[in-house]
Amino acid sequence: GIAKQLESLEAPIAKTDLTMTGLRLMTPAYAAPEQIRGDGVGIHTDVYSLGVILYELLAGQLPFDLSKLTPGEAETVIVGRDPEKPSAAAKRKRMTDGAGADLRALTASKAAWADLDVLCLTAMHKDTQRRYQSVEALTRDIDHYLKGEPLEARPDTFRYRLGKFVRRNRRAVSATALVFTIIVGLVVFFTVRLAKARNAALDEAARTQRIQRFMMNLFQGGDESVGPGDSMRVVTLLDRGVQEAQSLNSDPKVQAELYQKLGTLY
């Protein structure tokens, strides 16, 4: 499956300079679709073969099982079918026989498998223009994966880059989140305490004002323009106060305090 160097990265060689032969030397399981069809081969063909090797390392099997197929059937499969994701192939193989390659034995997260799927399937894309354009590009993305950095082959979204950053700096992010949580918790705790203290102070002020108004109304009596009657005794005022206090059942705290003051006056 290893291709000959027939082109330059800078400028392709003219078609008339290509060596043509009727003999195609290849290992079908590792050969790219254009190699099977007899089209022009080059760096993109080697990238495909490297993608197959990476697939085999991860999934513990080749992307296509050609062992029981005729050459024509194998050609149809390689050219016409897309390979299964290596994550799905690895999972199925582990369930069926419990065996696999060393890399598959590692506990990979869902996000890690998503990157590995992109690595393999980009290198093995049927469209040569959508593969990695060089072995170096494939190597760079493998290095990005190993370092926990965003892949060049994946869409550069904020969510993807943020997830990579968090996983790459897990300890620092966890410590920062813990400190932030403690600060927010303290702010909420003291805010609630201050709110309760403020509400209690407002309730106390309102209760005091209500008691003051009650006592003022108690001793005003009669017609304010002429003042209280000369015959109004203190005991009469207190009795009237008790009657009015009995109507404050909706505010038991104020009622209790009035009863206490009236009892002291009695």
Side-chain angles (χ1 to χ4, degrees):
I2 301 301
K4 291 186 293 182
Q5 175 65 45
L6 299 179
E7 61 185 27
S8 168
L9 289 177
E10 289 76 19
I13 301 175
K15 292 290 183 181
T16 55
D17 296 332
L18 296 182
T19 301
M20 303 298 293
T21 176
L23 180 61
R24 291 184 293 169
L25 300 178
M26 69 181 78
T27 305
Y30 297 87
E34 64 271 14
Q35 209 170 357
I36 297 293
R37 293 191 300 264
D39 297 339
V41 296
I43 295 174
H44 53 273
T45 311
D46 289 335
V47 169
Y48 182 95
S49 298
L50 291 174
V52 175
I53 295 173
L54 181 59
Y55 188 106
E56 188 175 13
L57 287 171
L58 295 172
Q61 65 182 37
L62 289 166
F64 302 114
D65 183 10
L66 308 178
S67 57
K68 299 180 181 180
L69 302 181
T70 64
E73 292 172 337
E75 179 176 350
T76 301
V77 169
I78 295 173
V79 174
R81 278 176 47 187
D82 290 323
E84 184 181 20
K85 291 182 179 180
S87 57
K91 181 178 180 181
R92 189 182 66 256
K93 185 173 180 61
R94 187 165 56 249
M95 293 176 62
T96 55
D97 57 18
D102 291 339
L103 285 178
R104 256 194 333 112
L106 298 175
T107 303
S109 65
K110 184 177 180 180
W113 268 121
D115 279 348
L116 293 172
D117 286 342
V118 169
L119 272 168
C120 284
L121 299 183
T122 301
M124 297 175 58
H125 205 288
K126 295 265 191 290
D127 185 354
T128 59
Q129 297 301 317
R130 298 182 64 180
R131 291 181 203 161
Y132 291 105
Q133 294 304 299
S134 65
V135 176
E136 288 78 8
L138 172 59
T139 304
R140 280 200 310 271
D141 254 2
I142 293 176
D143 288 337
H144 289 323
Y145 168 78
L146 294 176
K147 295 177 183 178
E149 298 172 349
L151 301 186
E152 296 177 11
R154 293 197 66 170
D156 191 15
T157 62
F158 174 77
R159 181 178 178 182
Y160 175 63
R161 296 186 69 87
L162 178 62
K164 281 292 184 181
F165 175 81
V166 170
R167 284 188 289 273
R168 194 167 60 251
N169 303 277
R170 191 180 303 276
R171 290 186 178 181
V173 172
S174 299
T176 303
L178 179 61
V179 172
F180 179 76
T181 302
I182 292 174
I183 293 174
V184 171
L186 289 174
V187 170
V188 171
F189 173 75
F190 285 110
T191 300
V192 171
R193 286 197 61 180
L194 289 174
K196 288 183 178 180
R198 180 198 61 193
N199 293 337
L202 292 175
D203 291 343
E204 182 65 25
R207 186 161 58 250
T208 300
Q209 291 177 0
R210 188 166 185 179
I211 292 173
Q212 289 176 350
R213 287 196 303 270
F214 177 86
M215 298 305 292
M216 292 295 296
N217 292 335
L218 179 65
F219 283 96
Q220 279 179 350
D223 189 354
E224 293 185 2
S225 61
V226 299
D230 294 336
S231 62
M232 185 174 293
R233 301 188 306 159
V234 174
V235 174
T236 303
L237 296 176
L238 294 177
D239 289 341
R240 193 177 72 182
V242 171
Q243 293 176 359
E244 293 185 11
Q246 289 175 351
S247 64
L248 297 176
N249 292 330
S250 61
D251 196 344
K253 288 185 178 181
V254 174
Q255 188 182 53
E257 193 165 348
L258 286 175
Y259 277 147
Q260 184 178 8
K261 291 184 182 299
L262 291 170
T264 301
L265 291 174
Y266 267 121

